[in-house]
Amino acid sequence: MILRTASATRSIRALLALLLGISLIAGTASNPTSASAASVAKPGATCSKKGATQTIKSIKYTCVKSGKKLVWNKGVRVRATTKPPVLVPDTSSQPLSFDNLDTKRVRQAAFAEVTKVVQSMPAVNPNVTVIAGPSLTAERVDAERAGLKRTASFWADLFLPKTAYIGYYTEADLAWVDSAFCQQAAFCPVGEWGPVSKMIQRDLPWCSSAQATNNQRGEPFFNQCLGKGSDYVKNKQTTPHEYTHWVQASLGQMDTYPNWWIEGGAAYFGGALGVWNGATVPSTLDEVVHSDSRGWAEQDLCPLSTPTVEKIADCFRYTYKRGAPPSPDSKWMIAHVSYYMGALATEAMVAVKGMDTYKTFMNDLRTKDFDNAIQANFGLTADEFYAKVSKYVLAMYLEGR
């Protein structure tokens, strides 16, 4: 038997109370059903706040007053509120058309058409006299001849020159070029463009410009500087580009055609034939075509700094205007409006209808005006064509191609 004092008894009681409190807390923690179960809605179970709601397994319960108590009602089923997915039509398996100019497929389809012609047309050696400056090596000139032969064969069913001339030179041939071209090719220009030496001096320190025209006897002539900057991939298109101008000029009066087709058509076939390698679409074709987009966006003749489909369609119509540049105070030529969007429009024509139809269209230009030839071969009025192809131009521009 142990005897306790009153103060000792009070201490023991305080200790027992503390231990009991700890026991109750521990019990609550180890058995969560008491707190959490009371908060889960269940029909008829008590709740603490009128109007409170809980949704469990798509059933929404509401705390309501029943007699003197607050209880959960039976609940109502609720529907999911997820938004339906936005369906984007898949056009990848649909044939290309002017309403379905899929940017992933148009370039491949058009290039396949070009390749088919390159591989099927018999090789020709056009009757072209090449006049090369003394600064050029035979190897450099032969590289240009390869593109010339490919292009001549490509267009042989529409055009093959009886006599034509090409002049190649560099900036080092400044003192030689004018007299050589005049004596050997009857190209003795005066007036606005002046002699070739003037073009060289205007472009220095670079020398990669080219121009296609006729000589004093009316025979096809083009010249190209193969000097500084001419090894840029863009310049692989120059010989095929200028030869394509000869083909266009053989069809009729060039000033009756819109400039987008004159410059854009030459730009597309110049690029496709210039970088052609006999395989799939060369990656450089994107670069060659897109390189004209800067001038297209920056020129101020038909403003396209923030292009829209409507603005692009208007600019196609703008290229029916004559003159380059149209005003003395403009540094831009109408060709800068034309190169990029014209190349893409030409590419779309070839991709949708094929080279056979495209060549039929070109041949029709001998007897039909341009807009009528468009409708006869592509099934659209010119304005309908511009509205549709402008969407492709904008899409490719935004893709940086």
Side-chain angles (χ1 to χ4, degrees), residues 314-326:
D314 287 344
C315 285
F316 273 110
R317 275 297 180 193
Y318 177 86
T319 67
Y320 284 69
K321 294 179 180 288
R322 305 293 166 237

Side-chain angles (χ1 to χ4, degrees), residues 40-41 54-61 76-79:
V40 176
Q54 281 192 29
T55 301
I56 301 172
K57 294 182 179 180
S58 299
I59 303 295
K60 182 179 180 181
Y61 300 97
V76 293
R77 183 170 294 278
V78 295
R79 293 183 178 182

Side-chain angles (χ1 to χ4, degrees), residues 24-42:
L24 288 173
I25 293 171
T28 301
S30 62
N31 183 14
T33 57
S34 58
S36 62
S39 63
V40 176
K42 183 178 180 182

Side-chain angles (χ1 to χ4, degrees), residues 69-334:
K69 296 192 301 180
L70 292 174
V71 297
W72 293 109
N73 68 1
K74 294 181 179 180
V76 293
R77 183 170 294 278
V78 295
R79 293 183 178 182
T81 58
T82 55
K83 295 181 180 179
V86 177
L87 299 178
V88 178
D90 181 7
T91 60
S92 60
S93 62
Q94 298 176 11
L96 291 175
S97 69
F98 290 113
D99 290 312
N100 179 31
L101 293 171
D102 183 348
T103 58
K104 292 182 174 64
R105 294 189 290 146
V106 169
R107 181 145 295 167
Q108 286 80 359
F111 193 80
E113 286 290 315
V114 170
T115 295
K116 184 168 65 176
V117 175
V118 170
Q119 294 177 337
S120 64
M121 293 293 288
V124 299
N125 284 311
N127 187 22
V128 176
T129 299
V130 175
I131 304 161
S135 67
L136 287 167
T137 64
E139 182 182 16
R140 182 69 181 90
V141 175
D142 286 345
E144 295 299 324
R145 286 182 185 272
L148 170 64
K149 290 180 179 179
R150 184 184 309 123
T151 308
S153 299
F154 185 85
W155 293 120
D157 51 346
L158 285 177
F159 169 79
L160 199 58
K162 294 180 181 179
T163 303
Y165 299 86
I166 297 176
Y168 293 125
Y169 54 93
T170 74
E171 61 271 31
D173 300 318
L174 185 64
W176 166 90
V177 66
D178 292 333
S179 60
F181 287 177
C182 187
Q183 293 171 15
Q184 299 179 50
F187 183 69
C188 315
V190 294
E192 179 184 358
W193 291 102
V196 174
S197 59
K198 182 179 178 181
M199 183 169 65
I200 296 175
Q201 291 171 321
R202 185 180 65 237
D203 293 342
L204 288 174
W206 307 103
C207 198
S208 59
S209 296
Q211 61 177 164
T213 183
N214 291 330
N215 65 11
Q216 269 57 44
R217 296 192 293 261
E219 299 160 329
F221 174 86
F222 87 73
N223 63 81
Q224 179 184 1
C225 188
L226 302 179
K228 185 177 181 180
S230 65
D231 54 351
Y232 172 47
V233 66
K234 167 70 173 176
N235 293 309
K236 289 186 176 182
Q237 63 92 44
T238 304
T239 294
H241 178 121
E242 302 300 345
Y243 192 100
T244 299
H245 280 323
W246 286 354
V247 181
Q248 294 168 329
S250 74
L251 305 175
Q253 294 296 317
M254 289 280 270
D255 62 1
T256 65
Y257 309 139
N259 200 261
W260 76 258
W261 180 74
I262 296 171
E263 294 297 351
Y268 174 70
F269 290 110
L273 293 169
V275 302
W276 188 85
N277 58 13
T280 56
V281 182
S283 59
T284 49
L285 186 56
D286 279 359
E287 181 181 354
V288 169
V289 175
H290 188 67
S291 63
D292 287 320
S293 68
R294 179 178 177 181
W296 178 75
E298 290 182 357
Q299 54 76 32
D300 55 7
L301 306 180
C302 187
L304 287 165
S305 57
T306 53
T308 65
V309 170
E310 293 75 16
K311 287 181 181 179
I312 295 169
D314 287 344
C315 285
F316 273 110
R317 275 297 180 193
Y318 177 86
T319 67
Y320 284 69
K321 294 179 180 288
R322 305 293 166 237
S327 59
D329 60 340
S330 176
K331 65 179 180 178
W332 300 103
M333 296 189 297
I334 199 169

